[in-house]
Amino acid sequence: MSRYVGPTWKLSRRLGYSILENGKELAKRNYAPGQHGKDRRSKQSEYGKQLTEKQKLRLTYGVSERQFRRLFLLAKAEKEVTGIAFMRILESRLDNLVYRLGFARTRRQARQLVTHGHVLVDGKKVDIPSYLVKVGSHISLSEKASKFAIVEDAIKAQVSMVPYVSCEKEKHEGIFVRTPERSELPRDINEAQIVEYYNRKL
């Protein structure tokens, strides 16, 4: 399955979960899209619940189904709890860290900066959004990107920053300080359900 490029708000309303992590999609209409969205009530099977949790996490990070499954297999090979390892791997993606550092307002915007060659890791250009950044790595923007209006707007709009990255906004650079704790990761995701979903498949 290719990456979804349609309206994010519609997906958020269908899942009942803010994919953008700011709650704006659900602020006005906290129900499924469509003519009968308000009246739609369905009792999910256990498999349905697992699928929903998987979609919530996958769409939050904007990862294709194929990539998502590959990253799950990487997490399963880790020694720590699979669900937490999986979420930590997703957080270490380059596009996500560009977003977490505040250089972009959304992960889609961050992905675009990466693919257009505007992001450097330890001084070297990396144009692969799925690149897994190692703890301690320096992430910076090219001199050209540092002057982009969208970058400046994103930096000004950022209210807070996650504690596992540090950023020098004036220099447009930051560091992936450490792996995140579970309490610092999306709280409304039940990673155990996702593990169960893939255990059925594998």
Side-chain angles (χ1 to χ4, degrees):
M1 183 185 294
S2 59
R3 184 178 288 108
Y4 178 79
V5 294
T8 303
W9 285 41
K10 186 178 288 187
L11 283 177
S12 293
R13 288 175 59 201
R14 183 175 293 124
L15 293 169
Y17 172 80
S18 176
I19 291 171
L20 297 178
E21 298 181 298
N22 56 24
K24 289 182 179 179
E25 312 99 305
L26 307 175
K28 289 186 177 179
R29 292 179 285 183
N30 189 13
Y31 51 85
Q35 184 178 356
H36 305 291
K38 278 187 177 181
D39 304 318
R40 195 176 299 163
R41 295 286 185 274
S42 58
K43 187 176 180 181
Q44 284 188 317
S45 64
E46 194 59 33
Y47 176 78
K49 292 176 184 177
Q50 294 167 4
L51 179 60
T52 297
E53 290 301 311
K54 190 263 293 186
Q55 291 295 79
K56 282 161 60 175
L57 189 64
R58 185 177 73 80
L59 294 170
T60 294
Y61 288 93
V63 181
S64 69
E65 186 65 50
R66 185 176 180 181
Q67 284 181 318
F68 199 70
R69 185 176 183 276
R70 181 178 66 83
L71 292 177
F72 177 80
L73 292 174
L74 280 178
K76 199 169 184 181
E78 296 286 336
K79 293 180 180 180
E80 62 181 321
V81 178
T82 301
I84 297 175
F86 189 28
M87 295 179 77
R88 283 176 173 166
I89 288 172
L90 287 165
E91 278 292 318
S92 70
R93 283 173 54 98
L94 180 57
D95 55 355
N96 177 73
L97 289 172
V98 170
Y99 164 70
R100 293 296 191 199
L101 286 166
F103 298 147
R105 286 197 174 199
T106 65
R107 288 184 179 87
R108 279 189 184 182
Q109 200 177 80
R111 191 175 301 117
Q112 194 172 36
L113 284 173
V114 176
T115 54
H116 288 184
H118 297 307
V119 178
L120 292 80
V121 178
D122 292 330
K124 296 180 180 179
K125 184 177 77 174
V126 179
D127 57 7
I128 303 170
S130 60
Y131 178 82
L132 299 180
V133 180
K134 294 180 180 179
V135 171
S137 295
H138 287 69
I139 300 167
S140 58
L141 297 182
S142 65
E143 187 176 346
K144 182 180 178 181
S146 298
K147 300 174 184 176
F148 288 169
I150 58 168
V151 172
E152 291 304 320
D153 289 345
I155 290 173
K156 289 176 183 176
Q158 189 181 37
V159 178
S160 61
M161 187 176 296
V162 291
Y164 44 91
V165 299
S166 66
C167 181
E168 291 188 54
K169 294 182 179 181
E170 298 79 12
K171 295 182 179 180
H172 297 93
E173 62 182 47
I175 303 174
F176 183 26
V177 179
R178 59 173 174 81
T179 56
E181 301 294 329
R182 177 61 187 94
S183 59
E184 298 165 337
L185 296 167
R187 295 180 181 180
D188 295 332
I189 298 288
N190 185 339
E191 67 273 14
Q193 292 272 36
I194 300 170
V195 173
E196 286 299 316
Y197 173 86
Y198 278 111
N199 283 342
R200 283 171 176 252
K201 300 284 185 179
L202 301 176

